Amino acid sequence: QSVLTQPPSASETPGQRVTISCSGSSSNIGSNDVHWHQQFPGTAPKLLIYRNDQRPSGVPDRFSGSKSGTSASLAISGLRSEDEADYYCAAWDHSLSGVIFGGGTKLTVL
Amino acid sequence: VQLQESGPGLVKPSETLSLTCTVSGDSINSYYWSWIRQPPGKGLEWIAHIYYSGNTNFNPSLKSRVTISVDTSKNQFSLKLNSVTAADTAVYYCARAPHYYLTDGGWFAPWGQGILVTVSS
């Protein structure tokens, strides 16, 4: 069982906006930054958002991240079929002295 | 920057899994360097990381079985996981963690392509 909690699935139609939540605690999200990774089937994950809301070069501004308290969210606007993938949040946990991942959210573009 | 995992794709139960990650396009003399795995059809699990200076942190659930090391002369870092069982069957990824603070843990870029390691007799 993951220390960070994500919904196992999400879905939305093309052009719409979808948000994926990531819930933690004071020992992880509450005190450290959150990062998001995107993974397509059969491929390695790729960094999507770092330090809560920063986009690496090349990531479209349709992707945005936010954090409040012990929760974080990834928002995708103007949804496209190619956004269909698994999304994982990650953070440092002080209590475990290690990196923890959310269980992942499978996004389906209807 | 590119990372490439290498090692046996098949390991027998109770033996030691050994993987190497070769880094190109960046010096391993900076940042953290991590190992992460993903069992078939499941989510990501962080295994361990090593700081360029040699400091290490481990997933508590794997700590007793894991060794991580860095070879700066070859620009490589390695993972050893002993006493493996079928539960250790997974795609193993190496990744650069481009930060200097533990509190940035979870920030990985880039990732290697991954290597499937199957534990079976």
Side-chain angles (χ1 to χ4, degrees), chain A residues 31-33 35-37 39 42-47 50-51 86 88 90-92 94 96-103, chain B residues 34 36 38 42-46 49 57-60 93 98-109 111-114:
Chain A
S31 52
N32 301 309
D33 290 333
H35 318 279
W36 292 88
H37 301 273
Q39 184 180 34
T43 68
K46 186 191 87 167
L47 180 70
Y50 67 98
R51 286 183 174 168
D86 293 326
Y88 294 90
W92 181 259
H94 285 304
L96 297 174
S97 291
V99 175
I100 51 173
F101 283 98
Chain B
S34 281
I36 300 143
Q38 184 172 37
K42 296 188 178 180
L44 301 169
E45 179 181 36
W46 178 76
H49 69 203
N57 291 91
F58 299 91
N59 183 323
Y93 296 101
H99 56 82
Y100 296 105
Y101 305 109
L102 284 173
T103 51
D104 276 324
W107 178 3
F108 302 114
W111 296 63
Q113 67 181 31

Side-chain angles (χ1 to χ4, degrees), chain A residues 18-109:
Chain A
V18 67
T19 61
I20 296 171
S21 62
C22 175
S23 178
S25 68
S26 58
S27 65
N28 41 70
I29 294 178
S31 52
N32 301 309
D33 290 333
V34 179
H35 318 279
W36 292 88
H37 301 273
Q38 176 189 55
Q39 184 180 34
F40 297 107
T43 68
K46 186 191 87 167
L47 180 70
L48 195 63
I49 297 287
Y50 67 98
R51 286 183 174 168
N52 306 319
D53 57 8
Q54 301 299 299
R55 281 187 308 276
S57 173
V59 173
D61 59 7
R62 301 186 297 107
F63 295 89
S64 62
S66 63
K67 189 186 95 165
S68 178
T70 59
S71 293
S73 291
L74 172 70
I76 310 172
S77 60
L79 206 54
R80 300 181 178 182
S81 58
E82 56 260 38
D83 297 331
E84 207 166 81
D86 293 326
Y87 294 85
Y88 294 90
C89 57
W92 181 259
D93 188 286
H94 285 304
S95 296
L96 297 174
S97 291
V99 175
I100 51 173
F101 283 98
T105 299
K106 183 177 183 61
L107 174 65
T108 300
V109 181

